[in-house]
Amino acid sequence: VDKKVRLEVEAQRRKENRAQEPDEIQQARLQEQSLRQQALREEESEEETRARLRDQATRQQAIRNAETDDERRVRMIEDNLRHQVLRAQETVEERMSRSMADRLRHQMYLVEETEEEAEIRRELNREQTANYRAAEIEEEREGRREQSQSRMERLREEREEDEELLRAMNALEHAEIIPLETKEERTFREELLAARNRAGVPRTHRAACKTLASEDRVPLHDCGEMTVTCGECNARHFKGEQPTDKKFTQCCAKGKVILPPPKECPQPLVKLLQNDHQ
């Protein structure tokens, strides 16, 4: 107990001292700390890296489970602002490198996880999304939609810039290769391009637009009948939609969304619906 109290006092004192230090000293300290961590991580083995990442994920998950809804919203807003500042400062090459690293890391994660882990991850994502959107107010919903729209526009602009940079790099490489080719190689390349243009290379979209000669070869896709019923709201689902815990989120979010009972139909409409009119 004494050790825990002492560590808490030291942490509080260290936090107060760092809050009072100038920006230059803080930047130097953070840079030195980053270099020291980078040196330590370069020396660790692959097993140590996985163990460190696993412990870090467990510790971070425990912290996020203990935070309230307001703290979670503040954290998400701060993370979003920090990411926007960092991405606004990076160059096009850094953004391309980051995007490729993110895609590679995500693909490696998806390859390593099992089917059960993937199903659990998708179920947790659906549940978290349903809970978050059920608790948000109209202003937060409008803000989320605006943020999504601005994020999609920013991603579209980044993709266009990346494609333009890639075309420029390809053109530069092509310009470096062309002067090195001999006269015979240039003649062969020009003849090959001319023959290809005369023949007309079939494109994928042209082949896709062709009408099918016979539809017998098209495989039939059958989802089956909606025989599975939700235990909370009695909504019907396909058998393939049933989660592992047999609780659906698409209809009532596992019983969290309760709709009022339908109102009684007026008498003239009741007779019409029951075919009891004259």
Side-chain angles (χ1 to χ4, degrees):
V1 179
D2 296 337
K3 182 179 180 181
K4 184 178 180 180
V5 173
R6 178 175 56 81
L7 293 176
E8 291 179 355
V9 172
E10 291 180 357
Q12 184 66 25
R13 185 170 61 252
R14 191 182 302 110
K15 184 177 180 180
E16 294 176 356
N17 293 334
R18 291 182 177 179
Q20 297 176 359
E21 64 183 4
D23 295 338
E24 297 179 356
I25 299 178
Q26 184 180 10
Q27 292 294 334
R29 178 177 56 80
L30 293 176
Q31 186 175 4
E32 183 181 357
Q33 182 179 357
S34 177
L35 293 175
R36 186 168 60 252
Q37 288 181 355
Q38 185 177 0
L40 292 175
R41 292 180 180 180
E42 289 177 355
E43 295 177 356
E44 65 183 4
S45 60
E46 186 176 356
E47 296 180 357
E48 293 175 347
T49 303
R50 291 182 178 179
R52 176 177 56 81
L53 294 177
R54 193 182 303 111
D55 295 340
Q56 182 179 354
T58 304
R59 187 168 59 252
Q60 188 176 12
Q61 186 65 32
I63 294 174
R64 293 188 176 181
N65 291 335
E67 65 183 2
T68 61
D69 294 338
D70 295 336
E71 292 174 348
R72 185 179 297 108
R73 291 177 182 176
V74 171
R75 175 178 56 81
M76 294 176 67
I77 292 174
E78 291 178 353
D79 291 344
N80 190 14
L81 293 176
R82 185 172 62 254
H83 289 164
Q84 289 180 1
V85 172
L86 292 176
R87 294 186 177 182
Q89 295 176 353
E90 65 183 3
T91 61
V92 180
E93 292 82 1
E94 292 175 348
R95 183 168 61 250
M96 290 184 63
S97 177
R98 175 179 55 80
S99 301
M100 293 177 63
D102 291 342
R103 285 194 293 267
L104 181 60
R105 184 169 58 251
H106 184 66
Q107 291 176 0
M108 291 178 62
Y109 176 76
L110 294 180
V111 168
E112 292 178 356
E113 71 175 357
T114 61
E115 186 64 27
E116 296 179 356
E117 293 175 347
E119 182 63 27
I120 293 174
R121 174 177 55 81
R122 287 191 289 265
E123 183 66 22
L124 289 175
N125 291 338
R126 287 193 292 265
E127 184 177 358
Q128 290 176 359
T129 303
N131 294 336
Y132 178 76
R133 295 189 176 179
E136 66 181 0
I137 59 179
E138 187 65 25
E139 296 179 356
E140 294 176 345
R141 188 177 297 108
E142 293 295 332
R144 175 175 56 81
R145 291 174 180 173
E146 292 179 359
Q147 290 180 359
S148 299
Q149 184 177 1
S150 61
R151 184 172 63 253
M152 293 301 297
E153 292 178 356
R154 187 177 65 253
L155 291 175
R156 192 180 303 110
E157 293 176 357
E158 292 179 358
R159 192 180 301 112
E160 292 177 356
E161 292 179 359
D162 295 343
E163 292 177 355
E164 185 177 357
L165 178 62
L166 184 60
R167 286 194 296 269
M169 293 173 62
N170 292 336
L172 182 60
E173 293 178 358
H174 184 71
E176 293 177 354
I177 293 173
I178 293 300
L180 298 178
E181 65 181 0
T182 61
K183 186 177 181 179
E184 291 79 5
E185 292 174 346
R186 181 177 181 180
T187 304
F188 176 76
R189 179 174 56 82
E190 292 177 352
E191 291 178 355
L192 181 62
L193 292 175
R196 185 181 301 171
N197 292 332
R198 287 194 301 269
V201 180
R203 300 296 180 183
T204 306
H205 65 276
R206 294 177 184 174
C209 293
K210 291 183 178 179
T211 57
L212 294 174
S214 176
E215 295 185 357
D216 297 336
R217 299 181 180 179
V218 179
L220 178 63
H221 179 71
D222 186 11
C223 296
E225 297 181 357
M226 303 179 74
T227 56
V228 183
T229 306
C230 177
E232 301 291 341
C233 64
N234 296 326
R236 294 186 178 183
H237 298 270
F238 293 106
K239 186 177 180 180
E241 296 177 338
Q242 188 174 12
T244 55
D245 57 353
K246 299 182 180 180
K247 294 182 179 180
F248 296 94
T249 57
Q250 296 91 338
C251 50
C252 61
K254 298 183 179 181
K256 297 179 181 179
V257 179
I258 301 176
L259 297 177
K263 297 181 180 180
E264 295 184 0
C265 191
Q267 189 52 241
L269 293 179
V270 172
K271 291 184 178 181
L272 291 173
L273 293 174
Q274 295 178 354
N275 198 13
D276 191 17
H277 62 285
Q278 294 180 355

